[in-house]
Amino acid sequence: AQKVTQAQTEISVVEKEDVTLDCVYETRDTTYYLFWYKQPPSGELVFLIRRNSFDEQNEISGRYSWNFQKSTSSFNFTITASQVVDSAVYFCALSERTDSWGKLQFGAGTQVVVTP
Amino acid sequence: EPEVTQTPSHQVTQMGQEVILRCVPISNHLYFYWYRQILGQKVEFLVSFYNNEISEKSEIFDDQFSVERPDGSNFTLKIRSTKLEDSAMYFCASSPGLAASTDTQYFGPGTRLTVL
């Protein structure tokens, strides 16, 4: 069964528009961590943000912000005022406490295309 | 800033041949991981490694695969007899070791393996 679902396959926006990426996760653990990673066209995986299950406070970091809602098991990610360099595949990932060795379970990814 | 490095960036091999993918994790990190990503698909966990032994492995990580930390800096993934379906991007990751399930994993740039 899918533990992490990213329903949006691709999102296309024009530069300066905001982009919100959806992530829905499934776990029975009470302690878990959620992550967002970015994979630009060059292929590497770049860590963006991490959130633990006990902290639902939503934050903003530069042009990135996230909305964590345990009630709906969602961990959405927003890029404000998108730029062409934001074009990439974005992966949401889950690490469960019972997986004590930190296995990351990734969603299928959302391709973001930002055009000038 | 410390980073995970991987060599080679691209490996082409014939089916049935053995390949060794190399990784140098971030210095002082204690947990090491291999993931793979078949073209256009999500990132999948292969194996985690701690204290010189495998701590967890996925169903993908069968007897054809092995990992080793031959010295204090390298971490290798060996595929004994490659198959066409082993063609993928292989990512190495490491995390500090505060607690595996809560650490952030930092990924290398990946090795693209092509099996002909």
Side-chain angles (χ1 to χ4, degrees):
Chain A
Q2 283 274 34
K3 291 268 191 168
V4 179
T5 302
Q6 294 179 253
Q8 304 151 306
T9 306
E10 182 173 324
I11 300 175
S12 294
V13 296
V14 177
E15 212 170 13
K16 296 184 185 174
E17 290 183 341
D18 297 348
V19 181
T20 294
L21 309 179
D22 298 334
C23 174
V24 174
Y25 61 92
E26 179 185 329
T27 180
R28 293 184 179 180
D29 282 14
T30 55
T31 304
Y32 52 91
Y33 281 74
L34 295 160
F35 302 80
W36 278 97
Y37 284 86
K38 173 183 178 181
Q39 186 175 42
S42 49
E44 71 271 26
L45 283 167
V46 179
F47 164 74
L48 296 176
I49 55 176
R50 181 182 87 163
R51 208 80 194 136
N52 75 60
S53 52
F54 294 106
D55 186 357
E56 286 190 77
Q57 182 178 350
N58 297 313
E59 290 189 19
I60 297 174
S61 175
R63 294 188 299 109
Y64 297 153
S65 62
W66 48 95
N67 185 348
F68 176 31
Q69 293 194 352
K70 286 177 74 171
S71 60
T72 56
S73 296
S74 65
F75 184 51
N76 298 335
F77 175 65
T78 297
I79 306 170
T80 303
S82 60
Q83 301 173 1
V84 173
V85 294
D86 295 326
S87 295
V89 180
Y90 290 81
F91 290 98
C92 180
L94 167 71
S95 176
E96 298 173 290
R97 185 64 181 88
T98 52
D99 280 328
S100 59
W101 302 107
K103 172 179 71 180
L104 286 175
Q105 299 170 82
F106 286 83
T110 298
Q111 173 85 56
V112 173
V113 178
V114 183
T115 53
Chain B
E1 187 174 322
E3 57 184 20
V4 177
T5 59
Q6 290 185 243
T7 54
S9 56
H10 191 189
Q11 173 94 46
V12 181
T13 189
Q14 295 291 325
M15 191 169 56
Q17 295 295 304
E18 174 184 287
V19 294
I20 297 176
L21 309 183
R22 292 184 166 77
C23 167
V24 178
I26 294 173
S27 178
N28 297 325
H29 279 193
L30 300 179
Y31 292 94
F32 313 115
Y33 306 84
W34 283 101
Y35 292 81
R36 80 169 185 191
Q37 183 184 31
I38 295 171
L39 187 63
Q41 297 186 22
K42 67 178 179 180
V43 180
E44 302 174 288
F45 169 79
L46 290 178
V47 66
S48 56
F49 191 86
Y50 171 73
N51 201 24
N52 279 321
E53 59 183 26
I54 291 173
S55 43
E56 185 180 2
K57 58 184 181 180
S58 73
E59 292 175 355
I60 303 167
F61 195 89
D62 61 23
D63 292 343
Q64 293 298 314
F65 291 88
S66 62
V67 289
E68 192 179 32
R69 189 153 163 82
D71 52 44
S73 58
N74 290 284
F75 179 51
T76 62
L77 173 70
K78 183 194 289 186
I79 308 175
R80 236 177 299 279
S81 178
T82 49
K83 308 186 193 74
L84 294 176
E85 54 264 37
D86 293 327
S87 294
M89 180 76 93
Y90 288 81
F91 291 103
C92 173
S94 68
S95 63
L98 300 172
S101 62
T102 64
D103 283 346
T104 295
Q105 292 177 31
Y106 295 92
F107 286 77
T111 293
R112 178 160 297 286
L113 176 65
T114 302
V115 182
L116 302 176

